[in-house]
Amino acid sequence: MNTTTLASTTLTLALLLLLLRFLVRIYRLQLLNKETILLDLPNLGRAREETEKIPVTVVVCGGSIAGLLAARVCHDHFERIVIVEPEAWLSTEEGRKVKSWTQDGKRARVMQYTSLHGNLAPVTDGLLRLFPNFEEECRRSDINLAPADFKIYLGGHKFIAPHDEFGGSFPLTAMAGRQATETLVRRLTLNKKMYPNIEQIAGIVTGVDADEKDPRYLKTVRVRTNEGEDRELDAALVIEWIKGAGYGSGPNPLDELTLSYDPRMRYASFKLRLPKDLISKLPEYERESSTGALFLYKADPSVARTYCGAMDAEGEFRVFKKHKSATPIPEWIWKFFDMCQEAEDTMQLSKVRVPASFWTRYELASHLPANYIALGDSVTRVNPVFGQGGSKAMMGAVALNNVLQDVHTKSLPHDFSRRFFRSQADKISPLWYANKLADYGYDTTVPQHGESLSQGAVIRWYLHTLEIMSDKDKQIGSIFWRAMHSYGTSIDALNPLIIVKFLVQILSFGISGK
């Protein structure tokens, strides 16, 4: 091969590599748009002019976090929103208390109301955009906005959060439990000065009725108030409803579209209030809490089946079990547990037996109303250890906002529901499959019907090897952080450079990767 031919071949290969790199970037950008809400978040909170709002009523069946977020999004697009909340006390001042931990009431329908809870970056990012006074209200409720770095140890290896990539604008998290988070979102959403088109009534939805002129749409929602009054609400959009009017049947009925497996997750949370003079005895506490959460350990499935962690929220929440780790747990953490024992007189215990995980594939269902949507836990429930419940709710809110922004008529189009469910499913799918992949690594998990725990074993081995490297390699640490917060894509761990690093690790340390 002469010099000219060699130079030509080299140039061709270089151009092909550049083209491949460009195509991969384009594909990743498409996946970011499809699988995450990262590129959609800037559109939240952009309201129509009052004269341009759709002149109809939206009925939201249930005032949980998902329902409240949906109501807030709808305020930007509709003239009237009615939230029907079964628990009467949530429609009083008690349900909107600034100091949530002083509430006399307790959510009957939320098993984790007083348990360990974390808000991932997309949740806080979305709340900051939906509510201009979010930071101010956090301060009023003693909720700290801190970097979204939960100091996570994967099998004992603390992955490096990508602080350098964000410079001085690392995404924030609201350090709050479920009780404080939900109470804050409710207080913000039901603020009549800010959102006058939203009202909440105490009652239960007893049924829905189809539009006689066009049965593709729901027309009314039947409600029984807590005073025993039966009411009918005209509704152009229904969010979260009970079965009725013959919908959800057909060739692909909802009853046959639910995937389910059981991670058999059980956990206990201990909430304590630590006096300042006690905290001052442990400098590491101040350092870690000022830069995010305190710590979270996820056991290597081959060693143990436990998680333990702690965060400084409006109160101190922690989960602790005897934990075996592949690497030593820092000594200051054991001192922290000893410190908690000194404040055990303030301790509140919460135990949770988590039901099976499920995902109802609404996007595949036939014969659903064109003006009906569902989001949050009514669509899917994932293992709460991953902290993604709030992210699911925000994904639903973003999908709703995206579809509504494309509506330029005074009524909803025939494909409204279908487009919403497809968009939401694209974003839920990575959560569902990634969580199931991780849960199948534990031999106590009951797999989905027709599957076995061996499914995904090769991918788990690959990811486990990356976990071992994540406390030293910033690029790998970034991949894990973005995956956790749903800010990355399903192909990020397959980056050619990451694969090369994986192969070097295997060749250097053997098949175990250690």
Side-chain angles (χ1 to χ4, degrees), residues 126-353:
L127 292 174
L128 285 165
R129 297 172 190 277
L130 286 171
F131 303 104
N133 58 336
F134 182 71
E135 288 189 65
E136 176 188 344
E137 290 300 315
C138 280
R139 285 193 293 270
R140 290 183 64 207
S141 295
D142 291 342
I143 294 173
N144 183 34
L145 289 177
D149 183 356
F150 289 93
K151 319 294 174 51
I152 296 181
Y153 294 74
L154 301 172
H157 302 275
K158 181 182 178 183
F159 71 69
I160 303 172
H163 289 270
D164 294 345
E165 294 178 18
F166 291 93
S169 57
F170 194 77
L172 299 175
T173 180
M175 292 291 184
R178 170 61 187 257
Q179 181 177 14
T181 301
E182 183 177 314
T183 303
L184 173 60
V185 174
R186 181 174 297 106
R187 184 170 75 251
L188 291 166
T189 303
L190 300 183
N191 184 333
K192 277 292 185 181
K193 292 183 179 179
M194 299 285 289
Y195 311 107
N197 299 353
I198 300 176
E199 63 178 294
Q200 180 167 290
I201 62 176
I204 59 172
V205 174
T206 58
V208 293
D209 298 300
D211 188 331
E212 294 179 356
K213 296 180 180 179
D214 190 346
R216 290 175 298 181
Y217 289 84
L218 295 173
K219 182 180 181 181
T220 57
V221 176
R222 285 176 271 122
V223 176
R224 176 163 293 172
T225 68
N226 281 36
E227 292 76 28
E229 176 189 1
D230 290 324
R231 297 175 58 181
E232 286 191 356
L233 300 174
D234 290 334
L237 174 61
V238 179
I239 302 174
E240 314 284 357
W241 62 298
I242 60 175
K243 292 181 180 179
Y247 292 105
S249 58
N252 294 310
L254 281 176
D255 292 343
E256 298 178 9
L257 293 175
T258 298
L259 308 177
S260 179
Y261 74 95
D262 191 353
R264 298 179 67 189
M265 172 71 178
R266 316 286 185 264
Y267 73 92
S269 296
F270 302 87
K271 176 181 178 182
L272 306 100
R273 290 204 167 272
L274 303 178
K276 291 184 178 179
D277 61 335
L278 192 60
I279 293 174
S280 64
K281 297 178 182 179
L282 193 62
E284 293 90 348
Y285 180 98
E286 184 78 20
R287 182 192 68 216
E288 298 296 335
S289 61
S290 66
T291 58
L294 293 175
F295 61 88
L296 178 64
Y297 276 85
K298 170 187 174 293
D300 178 344
S302 65
V303 178
R305 305 188 188 102
T306 56
Y307 290 71
C308 82
M311 61 180 291
D312 186 0
E314 77 287 352
E316 182 61 31
F317 291 79
R318 70 183 176 105
V319 178
F320 176 66
K321 292 184 178 180
K322 186 176 181 182
H323 181 83
K324 297 179 181 178
S325 175
T327 58
I329 294 176
E331 182 63 27
W332 79 267
I333 292 178
W334 301 117
K335 292 179 181 178
F336 166 74
F337 287 130
D338 291 337
M339 185 174 71
C340 288
Q341 288 184 323
E342 296 184 44
E344 63 182 354
D345 59 317
T346 69
M347 185 179 74
Q348 298 177 35
L349 172 63
S350 173
K351 294 182 179 181
V352 176
R353 183 185 180 96

Side-chain angles (χ1 to χ4, degrees), residues 374-376 379 392 396 399 420-429:
L375 64 163
V379 175
K392 288 193 292 96
F420 167 81
F421 282 124
R422 180 68 267 169
S423 175
Q424 180 177 243
D426 286 341
K427 300 179 192 310
I428 287 175
S429 179

Side-chain angles (χ1 to χ4, degrees), residues 372-409:
Y372 155 68
I373 67 168
L375 64 163
D377 287 347
S378 65
V379 175
T380 182
R381 178 174 57 235
V382 294
N383 190 338
V385 78
F386 300 110
Q388 294 164 329
S391 295
K392 288 193 292 96
M394 189 60 71
M395 287 173 178
V398 166
L400 174 59
N401 187 63
N402 287 347
V403 179
L404 285 172
Q405 285 187 330
D406 289 335
V407 175
H408 304 293
T409 59

